[in-house]
């Protein structure tokens, strides 16, 4: 959907209005005003991020050989409820569980299951989205079961985290979503990896998935302009082998690599500020 920036009637144009209107005039995609959140809304998302971060810290201590993923899911549900929140995944478009747990060649949206048992050496993504007082925070981390895996899988996990970092560094105020995608794609490919294209980062905060779409590949100065007050995720899915993925038709959710090689993902929720992004889903926010 093409959005337009609307000015507030009867008020002088701010510096931000001027920058956005100039870009809009040149044909760049710009946000609509409702994608720019108020200080109060950002505080709400930040509080949701605090619970989300503590939740992933709790998950970290429970990832062990022999544990089934439905058990982790139950801990996610209980912890979220105990902290006054709601797990956004549960019932979202029919998703049956409270988090996604994606192992090795599973790219994302793995459904927790009693029969899926964690084993030493696996690389595992746990993705959790928390709703607190109506505000959404979305993050995921990689875990290595037992703390040790092959050098190849460890490098994939590490480089994928670097991809998230270079993406966040490219997210400057008045830059574009494509700048983020370009930075990530360059870093992944430089390391011999490929970027999943079918799934993207997204606006988040008042809803689970909102504009802008944040692809993890692309070209500079394409996609939506990012302006202070916007809240969005960056969540690169990086494959060791080819970029193609397969969507499970039976369960309707699980995404795997077509070539069967491992995939990794890290995700944070960010708010754009006047100087760059601030992470709303890391320990810095937990006071
Ligand atoms: N948390 C995922 C994301 O990063 C979305 C999961 S949707 C679910 O956007 F239904 F699978 F939970
Ligand atoms: Co997300
Ligand atoms: Co997520």
């Amino acid at each position: 959907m093409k959005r337009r920036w609307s000015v507030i009637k009867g008020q002088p144009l701010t510096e931000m209005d001027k920058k956005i209107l100039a870009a809009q005039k040149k044909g760049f995609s710009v946000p609509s005003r409702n994608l720019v959140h108020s200080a109060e809304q950002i505080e709400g998302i930040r509080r949701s991020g605090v619970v989300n971060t503590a939740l992933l810290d709790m998950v970290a201590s429970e990832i062990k050989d022999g544990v089934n993923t439905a058990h982790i899911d139950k801990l996610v549900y209980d912890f979220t409820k105990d902290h006054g929140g709601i797990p956004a995944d549960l019932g979202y478009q029919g998703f049956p569980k409270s988090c996604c747990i994606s192992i090795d060649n599973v790219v994302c949206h793995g459904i927790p299951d009693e029969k899926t048992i964690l084993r030493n050496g696996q690389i595992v993504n746990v993705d959790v989205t928390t709703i607190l007082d109506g505000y959404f925070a979305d993050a995921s981390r990689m875990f290595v079961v037992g703390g040790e895996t092959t050098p190849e899988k460890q490098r994939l996990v590490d480089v994928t985290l670097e991809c998230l970092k270079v993406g966040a560094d490219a997210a400057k105020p008045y830059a574009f979503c494509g700048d983020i995608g370009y930075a990530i794609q360059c870093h992944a490919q430089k390391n011999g990896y490929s970027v999943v294209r079918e799934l993207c980062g997204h606006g988040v905060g008042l809803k689970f998935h909102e504009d802008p779409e944040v692809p993890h590949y692309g070209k500079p100065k394409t996609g939506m302009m990012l302006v202070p007050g916007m809240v969005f995720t960056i969540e690169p899915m990086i494959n060791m082998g080819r970029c193609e993925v397969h969507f499970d038709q039976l369960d309707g959710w699980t995404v795997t690599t077509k070539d069967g090689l491992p995939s990794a993902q890290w995700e944070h929720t960010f708010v754009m500020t006047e100087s760059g992004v601030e992470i709303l889903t890391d320990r810095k926010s937990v006071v």
Side-chain angles (χ1 to χ4, degrees):
M1 198 227 309
K2 192 156 165 65
R3 292 178 177 270
R4 285 192 71 77
W5 185 253
S6 49
V7 297
I8 301 175
K9 283 204 187 82
Q11 279 190 23
L13 292 184
T14 62
E15 286 309 306
M16 177 158 141
D17 286 327
K18 287 179 196 163
K19 284 183 192 161
I20 298 171
L21 289 171
Q24 178 168 279
K25 214 170 148 192
K26 285 189 198 150
F28 289 107
S29 161
V30 298
S32 47
R33 198 174 277 276
N34 67 316
L35 297 183
V36 175
H37 297 100
S38 68
E40 186 190 330
Q41 289 170 333
I42 292 166
E43 267 321 295
I45 305 164
R46 189 188 302 280
R47 282 195 303 274
S48 183
V50 170
V51 175
N52 184 274
T53 303
L55 170 60
L56 279 174
D57 288 347
M58 181 279 292
V59 166
S61 65
E62 301 291 338
I63 300 285
K64 309 181 200 38
D65 184 86
V67 172
N68 75 71
T69 58
H71 175 70
I72 304 287
D73 181 74
K74 176 157 184 1
L75 296 175
V76 167
Y77 179 85
D78 291 343
F79 186 99
T80 305
K81 287 280 171 170
D82 288 349
H83 288 76
I86 301 166
D89 287 13
L90 190 59
Y92 176 75
Q93 296 186 358
F95 191 78
K97 296 286 183 184
S98 297
C99 63
C100 298
I101 306 185
S102 306
I103 304 172
D104 288 337
N105 64 314
V106 180
V107 173
C108 65
H109 301 167
I111 304 174
D113 184 271
E114 260 152 40
K115 289 191 277 282
T116 305
I117 319 271
L118 297 179
R119 289 299 173 205
N120 282 335
Q122 288 175 334
I123 58 169
V124 183
N125 176 277
V126 181
D127 189 334
V128 292
T129 305
T130 306
I131 314 173
L132 189 73
D133 302 330
Y135 296 109
F136 291 71
D138 184 7
S140 80
R141 297 182 200 167
M142 293 301 293
F143 303 101
V144 176
V145 183
E148 266 183 89
T149 187
T150 64
E152 291 79 13
K153 290 206 291 189
Q154 187 63 55
R155 195 173 80 89
L156 176 67
V157 169
D158 296 345
V159 169
T160 302
L161 180 57
E162 290 167 15
C163 284
L164 175 55
K165 289 194 174 129
V166 300
D169 288 343
K172 296 293 178 215
Y174 308 103
F176 295 85
C177 287
D179 296 313
I180 299 175
Y182 178 73
I184 292 172
Q185 183 178 8
C186 286
H187 193 70
Q189 290 178 351
K190 197 169 75 191
N191 281 282
Y193 299 144
S194 65
V195 177
V196 173
R197 292 174 173 248
E198 287 82 350
L199 300 125
C200 297
H202 51 91
V204 67
L206 309 187
K207 287 199 255 171
F208 199 162
H209 293 106
E210 224 321 6
D211 272 355
E213 188 171 89
V214 185
H216 306 108
Y217 63 93
K219 294 195 167 50
K221 290 196 170 180
T222 61
M224 190 179 282
M225 181 182 254
L226 295 163
V227 311
M230 289 173 78
V231 179
F232 56 91
T233 73
I234 306 176
E235 48 182 299
M237 284 145 275
I238 305 298
N239 292 352
M240 191 183 282
R242 295 181 55 86
C243 68
E244 288 83 6
V245 297
H246 173 263
F247 291 82
D248 192 310
Q249 300 298 320
L250 283 179
D251 71 20
W253 285 100
T254 312
V255 183
T256 51
T257 58
K258 270 204 178 156
D259 62 12
L261 289 174
S263 181
Q265 177 178 30
W266 292 84
E267 174 176 26
H268 274 308
T269 294
F270 299 90
V271 59
M272 182 57 75
T273 74
E274 297 291 342
S275 55
V277 285
E278 185 192 338
I279 306 177
L280 296 178
T281 46
D282 72 355
R283 298 251 15 123
K284 199 163 58 356
S285 313
V286 181
V287 281

